[in-house]
Amino acid sequence: MPVPILSTRDLTKTYGRGPDRFDALRGVSLDIDRGDSVAIVGKSGSGKSTLMHLLALLDTPGAGSVHVDGTDARSLSGRKLNALRNQMFGFVFQQFFLNHASTVLENVVLPLKIAGVGARERRARGMAVLEQLELADKARNKAGNLSGGQKQRVVIARALANNPRVLFADEPTGNLDSATGRIVEDILFDLNHNQGITLITVTHDHDLAARFNRRVYIRDGQLITTDEEHAA
Amino acid sequence: MNPLETLKTAIANSFRSKLRTTLTVLAIFVGAFTLTITNGLGTGISNYIDSQVAAIGASNAFTVTRTDTNAGLGSGPQKYDPNTRVLAAGGRPGSTQVALTQADLDKIGAVPGITGVSPVTRLNTAYIQWNNQEKYQLSVSVLAGAQPQLDAGQNLDDASTVPQIILPSSYVSPLGLSDSAQAVGQDVTIGIPDATGTMRTVTATINGIEQNALLSSGGAFINKALSTALAQAQATGTTTASAPVYTTATALFAPSTAAQISDMKNRLSAAGYTAQTLDDRIGTVKTVINGIIGVLDAFAVIALIAAGFGIVNTLLMSVQERTREIGLMKAMGMGSGSVFALFSTEAAFIGLLGSLIGSGAAIALGTVVSNALARGPLSDLAGLQILSFAPGTVAVVILLVMAIAFIAGTLPAWRAARQNPIDSLRYE
Ligand SMILES: Nc1ncnc2c1ncn2[C@@H]1O[C@H](COP(=O)(O)OP(=O)(O)OP(=O)(O)O)[C@@H](O)[C@H]1O
Ligand SMILES: [Mg+2]
């Protein structure tokens, strides 16, 4: 049996302390295989984003472990951790986090700039990924001037710029109309099928969840086996 | 991120909030401006003093006197000793100075390193006159290696047999000469009373006219030929019984290191003589001036430290403003070191900007003011450029300001660097 690309054991995360203490995750164990497509489904506030952040090594768990390709994340040096964040993972944030004053292209090539890629190659690769998401004509526009759906695609383009092996997408269609949402969904599944990118997506939408290979249900920081509650 | 990319991004970031950057740059500007001006003042004044000091004496000569063994106030008069000669000295009333004899001169000359000794004879010249016009009082001194700053003509030639004189420029028009250029080459008559009180005259050629100078005694410089002629005239009628005695002697030495000079001084001191170089005599003046410049520099540094807090504030605000951006970059794998480098480069760049503009403005304004002063209020002190800017000093000022800016930037940069990506992204 192959080593899962991401694997967690008894993962917990607690925010705040004293009376403000809140257990956002309460023992999550999960294995995700290479090339899989996984939907994380749950109510608002159930801990979906928290779990995603821990999986993408953007935050440190309270207890439990995350293994990447069989390596315990806690044993990684700062440099190795940054290399993983930069080259292995692409993250589409729920709130976009675009730099509105910069151009679309500048936003998209940010991971390449951090990786130390030269200006010329940065441009070429940035344009290629924008092409892929049908945004090439917007490359010179300020990111702040785009429509919601266009911004969503720019964020995906940025997550894909450095050819990640795992793409995390937090509610990629949450604030889009159904037609635009459909286009974004197609882009994601195309990447999963044709480029073998492991796709981990948070969603409320059950129709979307149904298109994934696998669904993981979460309630009050714990994984549950069925989605009866949600289906109701 | 590679260093070039860091630099480019830091520069672009510092221009993102133009007003804030401008205000910080202005604060640094004040500090850099002040520091450049005070340094310019220091350089200008010490250049001037160096040239003036060279005008009154050579740097490779001692002024030697017999060390006064009188223990000072309250010790009472010294016992009379028929073997020591004393001269009335110009110090406090009643003080005496032990005179130097030929034997002393020989002893001084024997000290290793001393290349020549000549006694300083006081020449009591009475007047100077040109072309039978008005007579003016005159005091003269021999040119012991001094390099007067000349308005016209040339320095004296001690090897020449022609009696030569350099007159201060203030003598030119009273004597009836039209200007400095005309004065050079003219013959003047110098009156000097001899031992019996009879006035004798000696003729000398004006070899040069000296600029008005800070340290000048108002007297004229004469060459060896003229001093010999004057000494002869003054000595006419002296009884041969009294051997010549001198208050001081000038001892020349070959160019030496400070250690060699102090060694020679020690030997002379052991032999009972006090030797002073020109630097010793002028040293106090320089110490005072350096002290004043030091205080001014301290004020400039205080201004810079205040500007440093401005930088801390500017960058803290910019770190705060960019919290999310920093979080995003860290989430994309930017290392803490790179974040730190980005923000401290921005600080150093703001420092460079402020110090370049500040020093540039100081040099431009300082040069204009200094030239105006040299033509106006300070024109009596010819050759004084009150502000002068040495490239090395200006470069040091710029580097110092950048260093202060960099240090000021480390706190905000460190705060930016240690942020957790998710906490930063959640920041509103
Ligand atoms: N920094 C924080 N401090 C305190 N509580 C937090 C913090 N971040 C998240 N939480 C809490 O943890 C719980 C899980 O949050 P999380 O963002 O993971 O929810 P989610 O499942 O992604 O919800 P949504 O679907 O609305 O995005 C929530 O109750 C939230 O209030
Ligand atoms: Mg969420």
Side-chain angles (χ1 to χ4, degrees):
Chain A
M1 191 184 136
V3 185
I5 194 159
L6 281 167
S7 155
T8 71
R9 286 291 169 270
D10 303 321
L11 211 53
T12 72
K13 178 73 187 177
T14 307
Y15 292 114
R17 54 175 69 139
D20 294 333
R21 191 184 148 95
F22 183 81
D23 294 316
L25 286 184
R26 295 184 289 175
V28 173
S29 300
L30 178 69
D31 288 328
I32 294 169
D33 293 324
R34 208 172 302 263
D36 208 351
S37 66
V38 181
I40 299 177
V41 188
K43 280 202 299 189
S44 177
S46 55
K48 304 183 295 293
S49 297
T50 304
L51 176 60
M52 292 273 274
H53 295 154
L54 291 179
L55 285 173
L57 308 184
L58 298 180
D59 210 350
T60 39
S65 64
V66 180
H67 283 76
V68 181
D69 256 344
T71 314
D72 191 341
R74 273 172 304 196
S75 69
L76 294 171
S77 67
R79 181 183 294 270
K80 198 86 210 292
L81 182 67
N82 284 326
L84 278 185
R85 286 174 180 169
N86 187 251
Q87 285 152 31
M88 184 155 165
F89 301 143
F91 207 106
V92 178
F93 291 96
Q94 201 171 357
Q95 304 92 331
F96 298 168
F97 300 130
L98 283 172
N99 186 352
H100 289 189
S102 304
T103 67
V104 167
L105 184 64
E106 278 163 0
N107 270 287
V108 167
V109 298
L110 190 58
L112 300 177
K113 197 169 169 182
I114 290 167
V117 174
R120 186 187 298 263
E121 192 189 337
R122 233 159 44 207
R123 227 192 95 78
R125 285 172 62 181
M127 285 312 294
V129 73
L130 281 174
E131 208 92 54
Q132 198 180 348
L133 290 160
E134 290 161 22
L135 276 169
D137 55 327
K138 298 285 183 193
R140 301 245 146 266
N141 290 37
K142 290 270 180 279
N145 299 338
L146 299 182
S147 75
Q150 288 167 337
K151 278 183 191 157
Q152 184 73 70
R153 280 184 283 154
V154 172
V155 179
I156 294 173
R158 183 178 64 192
L160 293 174
N162 210 12
N163 297 325
R165 283 163 54 202
V166 184
L167 183 68
F168 296 92
D170 199 345
E171 309 252 14
T173 57
N175 27 23
L176 301 181
D177 65 83
S178 54
T180 323
R182 190 81 198 171
I183 299 174
V184 171
E185 281 169 31
D186 290 342
I187 294 168
L188 294 179
F189 286 110
D190 175 67
L191 289 165
N192 178 243
H193 292 143
N194 298 330
Q195 297 185 24
I197 291 180
T198 308
L199 185 63
I200 304 170
T201 303
V202 167
T203 181
H204 284 118
D205 182 346
H206 287 264
D207 293 337
L208 173 57
R211 292 183 70 184
F212 284 82
N213 220 9
R214 198 178 144 202
R215 280 149 298 278
V216 171
Y217 300 99
I218 184 167
R219 187 180 65 193
D220 296 337
Q222 280 176 309
L223 299 190
I224 50 175
T225 42
T226 57
D227 85 2
E228 290 162 40
E229 224 176 312
H230 304 273
Chain B
M1 236 189 237
N2 60 36
L4 183 69
E5 212 60 65
T6 303
L7 183 68
K8 275 204 258 175
T9 313
I11 292 174
N13 284 348
S14 62
F15 284 120
R16 253 163 54 178
S17 180
K18 291 197 184 60
L19 181 64
R20 205 172 51 207
T21 302
T22 309
L23 288 174
T24 317
V25 165
L26 223 62
I28 299 166
F29 168 94
V30 173
F33 183 87
T34 319
L35 203 58
T36 311
I37 290 282
T38 53
N39 269 297
L41 205 60
T43 313
I45 292 179
S46 51
N47 279 352
Y48 181 63
I49 289 191
D50 284 348
S51 70
Q52 295 300 316
V53 165
I56 59 165
S59 53
N60 61 334
F62 286 126
T63 303
V64 186
T65 52
R66 272 290 280 276
T67 308
D68 195 351
T69 46
N70 192 332
L73 286 169
S75 60
Q78 295 279 293
K79 267 228 172 80
Y80 173 71
D81 175 356
N83 295 323
T84 18
R85 295 278 303 268
V86 296
L87 294 168
R92 71 193 142 87
S95 71
T96 53
Q97 172 135 35
V98 186
L100 296 167
T101 62
Q102 189 57 47
D104 289 314
L105 299 186
D106 295 344
K107 243 160 101 187
I108 296 166
V111 170
I114 303 282
T115 54
V117 186
S118 51
V120 179
T121 336
R122 181 170 264 139
L123 293 168
N124 297 310
T125 49
Y127 67 83
I128 183 170
Q129 184 186 33
W130 176 70
N131 205 11
N132 287 322
Q133 297 193 28
E134 208 67 44
K135 292 172 180 167
Y136 287 90
Q137 291 185 358
L138 178 75
S139 68
V140 296
S141 50
V142 286
L143 187 78
Q147 286 158 356
Q149 308 280 308
L150 298 179
D151 244 2
Q154 267 145 21
N155 205 350
L156 297 173
D157 179 6
D158 270 343
S160 162
T161 54
V162 182
Q164 293 172 343
I165 187 167
I166 288 180
L167 283 176
S169 63
S170 57
Y171 273 82
V172 172
S173 69
L175 285 177
L177 294 155
S178 64
D179 60 24
S180 300
Q182 190 220 342
V184 175
Q186 298 292 328
D187 281 343
V188 286
T189 310
I190 297 166
I192 187 165
D194 69 10
T196 63
T198 320
M199 193 61 73
R200 310 241 158 213
T201 60
V202 175
T203 302
T205 307
I206 299 177
N207 215 48
I209 300 294
E210 191 193 5
Q211 290 177 351
N212 282 336
L214 182 66
L215 300 171
S216 78
S217 53
F221 286 116
I222 57 178
N223 73 343
K224 215 164 219 158
L226 183 53
S227 85
T228 315
L230 287 171
Q232 265 171 11
Q234 183 170 263
T236 315
T238 344
T239 47
T240 43
S242 65
V245 292
Y246 316 98
T247 52
T248 50
T250 303
L252 296 170
F253 52 85
S256 318
T257 64
Q260 289 171 314
I261 291 175
S262 95
D263 182 51
M264 283 187 273
K265 262 196 225 169
N266 288 342
R267 284 169 192 272
L268 285 167
S269 156
Y273 303 101
T274 303
Q276 285 188 303
T277 60
L278 194 60
D279 274 347
D280 295 336
R281 285 153 64 203
I282 216 75
T284 35
V285 179
K286 276 196 161 171
T287 312
V288 168
I289 289 174
N290 284 342
I292 294 171
I293 302 288
V295 169
L296 292 176
D297 275 351
F299 281 123
V301 169
I302 289 171
L304 273 176
I305 289 172
F309 284 109
I311 297 182
V312 174
N313 197 37
T314 302
L315 284 169
L316 276 178
M317 280 169 69
S318 119
V319 166
Q320 192 123 330
E321 219 168 66
R322 277 184 245 156
T323 303
R324 277 209 190 170
E325 196 184 325
I326 296 165
L328 182 68
M329 291 196 293
K330 294 194 83 174
M332 289 178 174
M334 179 134 154
S336 299
S338 302
V339 175
F340 184 88
L342 190 61
F343 279 87
S344 31
T345 308
E346 185 174 338
F349 174 72
I350 292 176
L352 176 69
L353 216 61
S355 58
L356 277 184
I357 301 175
S359 297
I363 291 171
L365 193 72
T367 309
V368 169
V369 168
S370 175
N371 285 341
L373 283 176
R375 267 182 270 112
L378 298 177
S379 56
D380 283 348
L381 297 172
L384 173 60
Q385 280 290 344
I386 191 99
L387 291 163
S388 104
F389 303 97
T393 337
V394 174
V396 168
V397 168
I398 291 178
L399 286 178
L400 177 76
V401 174
M402 279 181 74
I404 291 179
F406 180 84
I407 291 167
T410 50
L411 172 70
W414 177 74
R415 262 185 85 159
R418 65 167 191 165
Q419 284 174 1
N420 164 306
I422 283 302
D423 289 347
S424 307
L425 279 171
R426 217 176 256 124
Y427 182 89
E428 293 294 333

